[in-house]
Amino acid sequence: MLMDQNTGGIEDLLFNKARTFNKWHERTVSDAQLHALYELVKMGPTSGNCLPARFYFVKSKEAKDRLAPALSRGNLEKTMTAPVTAIVAYDSEFYEKLPQLFPHADARSWFTSSPSLAEETAFRNSSLQGAYLILAARLIGLDAGPMSGFKSDVVDAAFFADTPIKSNFLVNLGYGDPSGNFDRLPRLAFEEAAAIL
Ligand SMILES: Cc1cc2nc3c(=O)[nH]c(=O)nc-3n(C[C@H](O)[C@H](O)[C@H](O)COP(=O)(O)O)c2cc1C
């Protein structure tokens, strides 16, 4: 969906009319667009400003071929044809940057003393940052197709061997062709999913 086709407000662009895309127009996404995307994503909040997510924009044929063996069968074609596939990953040693990112406290020590807290924090906040990526993509006129159907150990071996980086999920990015969309699925009503206490 192109931004100039959206006649509704920002709530339509980001939520009400936004869809998860499975099919892509043959229209490239520039490196400048990916930089613009990151400039928005980086501003989304994370606990203690820890910013654990790392984004790897898989664009070249060589990198796509490296990603392919990790994908579930249902995710293969849409990922190989997407202009870009973002690997939303996290740095499991994100706390090494806390003296820079959260300088007014010794936040690094909160995590070096508790590997389980470090892992939980990295996974929680990188997942949030992946959600910011989806919404920021929509805001700048791109479409997104998030995926968890892949083998993270295969991605990690292919892209992040001997590093502290681990994959969380994938997001195809480009200009979506709605002919590949599934029917919109129901959502839970407020009463089913929320409560005011
Ligand atoms: C974290 C995450 C993982 C997903 N994994 C897959 C996947 O592996 N394959 C797939 O076809 N769709 C996947 N989806 C797409 C969801 O099924 C889709 O976003 C949901 O049904 C809502 O669709 P809609 O945005 O078009 O309403 C995933 C979505 C998210 C957010």
Side-chain angles (χ1 to χ4, degrees), residues 18-20 22 75 78 138 146-149 169 182 184-185 187:
R19 297 299 314 274
T20 294
N22 301 301
N75 286 336
K78 57 185 156 193
R138 292 171 173 175
M147 296 171 292
S148 53
F169 68 106
F182 302 124
R184 186 71 126 172
L185 292 169
R187 299 314 206 245

Short mmCIF file of all heavy atoms in Angstrom, two decimals, residues 18-20 22 75 78 138 146-149 169 182 184-185 187, ligand 1:
data_model
loop_
_atom_site.label_atom_id
_atom_site.label_comp_id
_atom_site.label_asym_id
_atom_site.label_seq_id
_atom_site.Cartn_x
_atom_site.Cartn_y
_atom_site.Cartn_z
N ALA A 18 -3.85 -0.92 7.97
CA ALA A 18 -2.55 -1.54 7.74
C ALA A 18 -2.71 -3.06 7.78
O ALA A 18 -3.48 -3.59 8.57
CB ALA A 18 -1.57 -1.09 8.82
N ARG A 19 -2.00 -3.73 6.90
CA ARG A 19 -2.07 -5.18 6.82
C ARG A 19 -0.68 -5.80 6.88
O ARG A 19 0.32 -5.13 6.67
CB ARG A 19 -2.74 -5.61 5.49
CG ARG A 19 -4.20 -5.16 5.33
CD ARG A 19 -5.11 -5.72 6.41
NE ARG A 19 -4.94 -7.13 6.66
CZ ARG A 19 -5.53 -8.12 6.00
NH1 ARG A 19 -6.37 -7.84 5.03
NH2 ARG A 19 -5.29 -9.38 6.32
N THR A 20 -0.69 -7.08 7.14
CA THR A 20 0.54 -7.88 7.03
C THR A 20 0.62 -8.38 5.60
O THR A 20 -0.33 -9.01 5.12
CB THR A 20 0.46 -9.06 8.01
OG1 THR A 20 0.48 -8.54 9.34
CG2 THR A 20 1.62 -10.02 7.82
N ASN A 22 2.18 -10.41 2.19
CA ASN A 22 2.83 -11.67 1.79
C ASN A 22 3.36 -11.62 0.36
O ASN A 22 4.06 -12.53 -0.08
CB ASN A 22 1.81 -12.82 1.87
CG ASN A 22 1.26 -12.97 3.27
OD1 ASN A 22 2.00 -13.19 4.21
ND2 ASN A 22 -0.06 -12.83 3.41
N ASN A 75 7.24 -19.39 4.39
CA ASN A 75 7.83 -18.04 4.41
C ASN A 75 8.89 -17.85 3.34
O ASN A 75 9.44 -16.74 3.21
CB ASN A 75 8.44 -17.76 5.78
CG ASN A 75 7.38 -17.50 6.84
OD1 ASN A 75 6.27 -17.10 6.51
ND2 ASN A 75 7.72 -17.75 8.09
N LYS A 78 7.85 -15.51 -0.16
CA LYS A 78 7.59 -14.09 0.12
C LYS A 78 8.84 -13.39 0.63
O LYS A 78 9.02 -12.19 0.39
CB LYS A 78 6.43 -13.93 1.11
CG LYS A 78 6.56 -14.60 2.43
CD LYS A 78 5.25 -14.41 3.22
CE LYS A 78 5.04 -15.47 4.26
NZ LYS A 78 3.68 -15.45 4.78
N ARG A 138 5.44 1.58 8.19
CA ARG A 138 4.15 2.03 7.68
C ARG A 138 4.12 3.56 7.59
O ARG A 138 3.56 4.13 6.65
CB ARG A 138 3.03 1.53 8.60
CG ARG A 138 2.87 0.02 8.52
CD ARG A 138 1.93 -0.51 9.59
NE ARG A 138 1.66 -1.93 9.40
CZ ARG A 138 0.95 -2.66 10.24
NH1 ARG A 138 0.45 -2.13 11.36
NH2 ARG A 138 0.74 -3.94 9.99
N PRO A 146 5.91 -9.32 9.17
CA PRO A 146 6.72 -9.96 10.22
C PRO A 146 6.61 -11.47 10.18
O PRO A 146 5.58 -12.01 9.78
CB PRO A 146 6.11 -9.40 11.52
CG PRO A 146 4.73 -8.97 11.17
CD PRO A 146 4.73 -8.64 9.71
N MET A 147 7.67 -12.16 10.60
CA MET A 147 7.70 -13.63 10.57
C MET A 147 8.50 -14.20 11.74
O MET A 147 9.61 -13.76 12.00
CB MET A 147 8.37 -14.13 9.28
CG MET A 147 7.65 -13.79 8.01
SD MET A 147 8.67 -14.21 6.59
CE MET A 147 9.98 -13.03 6.76
N SER A 148 7.90 -15.20 12.36
CA SER A 148 8.67 -15.99 13.33
C SER A 148 8.91 -17.41 12.84
O SER A 148 9.52 -18.20 13.55
CB SER A 148 7.98 -16.00 14.70
OG SER A 148 6.65 -16.41 14.56
N GLY A 149 8.42 -17.72 11.65
CA GLY A 149 8.60 -19.05 11.08
C GLY A 149 9.96 -19.22 10.43
O GLY A 149 10.10 -19.18 9.20
N PHE A 169 13.23 -11.98 15.43
CA PHE A 169 12.27 -12.32 14.37
C PHE A 169 12.64 -11.58 13.08
O PHE A 169 13.61 -10.83 13.07
CB PHE A 169 10.81 -12.09 14.80
CG PHE A 169 10.39 -10.66 15.04
CD1 PHE A 169 9.57 -10.00 14.13
CD2 PHE A 169 10.76 -9.98 16.18
CE1 PHE A 169 9.15 -8.71 14.35
CE2 PHE A 169 10.34 -8.67 16.42
CZ PHE A 169 9.53 -8.03 15.50
N PHE A 182 -4.15 -12.41 3.20
CA PHE A 182 -5.20 -13.27 3.72
C PHE A 182 -6.36 -12.37 4.16
O PHE A 182 -6.18 -11.17 4.35
CB PHE A 182 -4.68 -14.06 4.93
CG PHE A 182 -3.47 -14.91 4.61
CD1 PHE A 182 -2.29 -14.77 5.32
CD2 PHE A 182 -3.52 -15.85 3.59
CE1 PHE A 182 -1.18 -15.55 5.02
CE2 PHE A 182 -2.42 -16.64 3.28
CZ PHE A 182 -1.24 -16.48 4.00
N ARG A 184 -8.76 -10.50 6.58
CA ARG A 184 -8.50 -9.92 7.89
C ARG A 184 -9.08 -10.82 8.97
O ARG A 184 -10.26 -11.22 8.89
CB ARG A 184 -9.14 -8.53 7.95
CG ARG A 184 -8.84 -7.74 9.20
CD ARG A 184 -7.43 -7.24 9.26
NE ARG A 184 -7.36 -5.81 9.46
CZ ARG A 184 -6.23 -5.16 9.71
NH1 ARG A 184 -5.07 -5.81 9.80
NH2 ARG A 184 -6.23 -3.87 9.86
N LEU A 185 -8.31 -11.16 9.93
CA LEU A 185 -8.77 -12.04 11.01
C LEU A 185 -9.40 -11.21 12.12
O LEU A 185 -9.09 -10.02 12.28
CB LEU A 185 -7.59 -12.86 11.54
CG LEU A 185 -7.06 -13.90 10.54
CD1 LEU A 185 -5.74 -14.49 11.01
CD2 LEU A 185 -8.08 -15.00 10.32
N ARG A 187 -10.33 -9.66 15.79
CA ARG A 187 -9.56 -9.21 16.95
C ARG A 187 -10.43 -9.39 18.19
O ARG A 187 -11.66 -9.48 18.11
CB ARG A 187 -9.16 -7.74 16.82
CG ARG A 187 -8.26 -7.38 15.60
CD ARG A 187 -7.10 -8.32 15.40
NE ARG A 187 -5.98 -7.71 14.71
CZ ARG A 187 -5.52 -8.05 13.50
NH1 ARG A 187 -6.13 -9.01 12.80
NH2 ARG A 187 -4.47 -7.47 12.98
C1 LIG B 1 6.00 -11.74 15.48
C2 LIG B 1 5.18 -12.19 14.31
C3 LIG B 1 5.48 -13.38 13.69
C4 LIG B 1 4.75 -13.80 12.57
N1 LIG B 1 5.12 -14.93 11.92
C5 LIG B 1 4.56 -15.23 10.74
C6 LIG B 1 5.09 -16.27 9.93
O1 LIG B 1 6.08 -16.93 10.27
N2 LIG B 1 4.50 -16.51 8.75
C7 LIG B 1 3.41 -15.80 8.32
O2 LIG B 1 2.92 -16.06 7.22
N3 LIG B 1 2.88 -14.79 9.06
C8 LIG B 1 3.45 -14.48 10.25
N4 LIG B 1 2.96 -13.42 10.98
C9 LIG B 1 1.83 -12.65 10.45
C10 LIG B 1 0.57 -12.71 11.31
O3 LIG B 1 -0.11 -13.91 11.11
C11 LIG B 1 -0.29 -11.48 10.96
O4 LIG B 1 0.44 -10.34 11.28
C12 LIG B 1 -1.63 -11.46 11.67
O5 LIG B 1 -2.44 -12.53 11.28
C13 LIG B 1 -2.37 -10.16 11.44
O6 LIG B 1 -2.54 -9.93 10.07
P1 LIG B 1 -3.00 -8.48 9.56
O7 LIG B 1 -1.93 -7.51 10.01
O8 LIG B 1 -3.04 -8.56 8.06
O9 LIG B 1 -4.31 -8.18 10.18
C14 LIG B 1 3.65 -13.01 12.10
C15 LIG B 1 3.35 -11.82 12.76
C16 LIG B 1 4.10 -11.40 13.83
C17 LIG B 1 3.77 -10.08 14.49
#
